[in-house]
Amino acid sequence: MNERLTITALGPYIGAQVTDVDLSRPLSDTQFEQLYHALIRHQVLFFRHQPMTPAQQRALAARFGDLHIHPVYPHAPDVEEIIVLDTHDNNPPDNDNWHTDVTFIETPPAGAILAAKQLPETGGDTLWASGIAAYNALSEPFKVLLSGLQAEHDFKKSFQEFKYRNSEEEHQRWQQAVAKNPPLLHPVIRTHPVSGKQALFVNEGFTTRIVGLSEKESDALLNFLFAHITKPEFQVRWRWQQDDVAIWDNRVTQHYANADYLPARRIMHRATILGDKPFYRVDAV
């Protein structure tokens, strides 16, 4: 039996398409090792024609590590680790900004697996950007400036209160999430724990300020970094088809779900893999 996966790079910095694998079945150790190393190298992997049940998606994600249960998003029936992102006119998307998932916790996710369940006829693409490529493109003096800085990440920046007032139960769940997730600090430059590569680790979705700078300095620096990381040179864009799957390294990427498809409906299932505490190492690659 041939266990060799075919991995085709989609760009010089980020993204690869993987074929010759069935993700609905348990992966052999050889297959998983190839997948894992491809993910570290390419940062986001794409797969066509991979129908999976929520339980199968959970099993695949669990090969990478323990799974996160989101504090406010709904989940698949009987599979609380699988978030259901069901967006339409009555529930418009809230992830049409550049963000890294769940950076408002002390140990942000290491990765995520997203499966396309129902798609609009056109639109609804997702873009990913490489924090490694964005960091490498900065000048050496600018890297030095950023190297020791920390930034605040806040749950409430993306999950604003007015969105969660449709029912008392929903608002109460939001209040509990806010109480459980106070603002916290992460390094502006993050060292990847496996590859040792440095990456920008601020994102428009959750990063509110850089510690130790005045408000104007912080705003100016963050606005520059938010714009810098979204340069097309650092991106890959995926046009979804039914039952496509994407797996990405959340530690060194950001993504943007294009909200150009309303009033059509788009349903995606996401599994989120818990990570470790971000750190910056001076002598890293």
Side-chain angles (χ1 to χ4, degrees), residues 171-235:
H171 188 236
Q172 205 167 29
R173 195 162 65 240
W174 178 88
Q175 288 175 313
Q176 290 169 350
V178 169
K180 190 179 175 183
N181 297 286
L184 49 68
L185 304 182
H186 293 309
V188 171
I189 304 301
R190 178 176 188 173
T191 304
H192 194 287
V194 178
S195 70
K197 293 182 177 178
Q198 309 283 32
L200 283 177
F201 196 64
V202 294
N203 71 90
E204 193 173 353
F206 296 113
T207 309
T208 52
R209 65 186 180 93
I210 296 178
V211 179
L213 303 187
S214 71
E215 186 176 350
K216 282 187 177 181
E217 289 170 337
S218 174
D219 288 348
L221 193 49
L222 284 177
N223 286 337
F224 168 78
L225 293 174
F226 294 157
H228 174 71
I229 200 166
T230 62
K231 288 178 69 175
E233 289 88 343
F234 312 141
Q235 291 179 19

Side-chain angles (χ1 to χ4, degrees), residues 11-25:
Y13 301 126
I14 183 172
Q17 187 169 345
V18 182
T19 54
D20 302 324
V21 65
D22 180 356
L23 297 181
S24 69
R25 303 173 59 135

Side-chain angles (χ1 to χ4, degrees), residues 136-177:
N136 288 337
L138 296 172
S139 67
E140 290 305 318
F142 207 79
K143 291 176 183 175
V144 172
L145 168 68
L146 299 177
S147 62
L149 296 177
Q150 289 193 308
E152 184 179 83
H153 295 243
D154 191 345
F155 170 85
K156 296 193 301 294
K157 188 177 184 190
S158 270
F159 297 97
Q160 296 169 21
E161 185 171 12
F162 75 90
K163 299 177 183 176
Y164 298 94
R165 287 192 172 276
N166 296 319
S167 69
E168 183 55 39
E169 181 190 359
E170 186 182 62
H171 188 236
Q172 205 167 29
R173 195 162 65 240
W174 178 88
Q175 288 175 313
Q176 290 169 350

